[in-house]
Amino acid sequence: MAEKTKQEFIREKAHQNQDDPEGAKILWSRHGTTELANEGWTRIPVETALQECEVIEDYPEVHRPLPDCLVLAYFDDKKPLHVVIAIDEQNDRLIIVTVYQPNSEEWNDDWRTRKTK
């Protein structure tokens, strides 16, 4: 990710995906689609929210096939969501690893900072 930051790349692919009838810029892992269903969400609002996401944790690339990160985004109703995204720069796309609603037991009120134990 030399030219763009992960956040810029994610936002760009989310915008491009919205205009792509096949939605080929964002792929969903099996785990990601399972968690999407568990949360009672659908893909389009999550993918739309990614257009304004913020990277809140950047994971080390050691022992990972692709660079990935945790992002914070918000639905239209301002409800927060967290998405772990793998950056597949070579294939010009994102892979959604998992998605979930952050809870106040693990996260501070800003939804960006984990609570210390």
Side-chain angles (χ1 to χ4, degrees), residues 48-88:
T48 300
L50 292 178
Q51 295 177 29
E52 299 298 324
C53 72
E54 174 187 350
V55 173
I56 59 172
E57 291 182 0
D58 196 12
Y59 301 135
E61 294 182 30
V62 177
H63 306 299
R64 295 176 185 269
L66 295 169
D68 56 349
C69 57
L70 175 65
V71 302
L72 168 64
Y74 291 92
F75 290 111
D76 285 340
D77 62 2
K78 304 300 181 216
K79 183 166 68 173
L81 68 144
H82 282 174
V83 186
V84 176
I85 300 175
I87 309 293
D88 187 358

Side-chain angles (χ1 to χ4, degrees):
M1 301 257 45
E3 295 177 25
K4 294 181 182 162
T5 66
K6 286 182 181 179
Q7 183 169 293
E8 290 168 336
F9 188 84
I10 292 166
R11 288 178 173 188
E12 178 182 279
K13 296 305 137 196
H15 278 286
Q16 291 173 354
N17 196 69
Q18 188 173 26
D19 298 331
D20 181 359
E22 295 178 20
K25 297 295 181 186
I26 300 178
L27 300 179
W28 286 75
S29 70
R30 179 174 289 155
H31 179 75
T33 55
T34 299
E35 292 305 307
L36 184 74
N38 288 345
E39 292 287 354
W41 299 338
T42 58
R43 290 172 62 154
I44 292 176
V46 172
E47 292 174 359
T48 300
L50 292 178
Q51 295 177 29
E52 299 298 324
C53 72
E54 174 187 350
V55 173
I56 59 172
E57 291 182 0
D58 196 12
Y59 301 135
E61 294 182 30
V62 177
H63 306 299
R64 295 176 185 269
L66 295 169
D68 56 349
C69 57
L70 175 65
V71 302
L72 168 64
Y74 291 92
F75 290 111
D76 285 340
D77 62 2
K78 304 300 181 216
K79 183 166 68 173
L81 68 144
H82 282 174
V83 186
V84 176
I85 300 175
I87 309 293
D88 187 358
E89 194 172 14
Q90 183 176 357
N91 292 304
D92 197 36
R93 64 186 180 189
L94 308 173
I95 300 169
I96 305 296
V97 177
T98 194
V99 59
Y100 61 91
Q101 173 133 24
N103 66 57
S104 58
E105 292 174 18
E106 292 181 56
W107 295 91
N108 289 325
D109 291 344
D110 64 0
W111 308 117
R112 291 172 181 80
T113 313
R114 291 183 193 268
K115 289 184 175 179
T116 55
K117 302 209 179 209

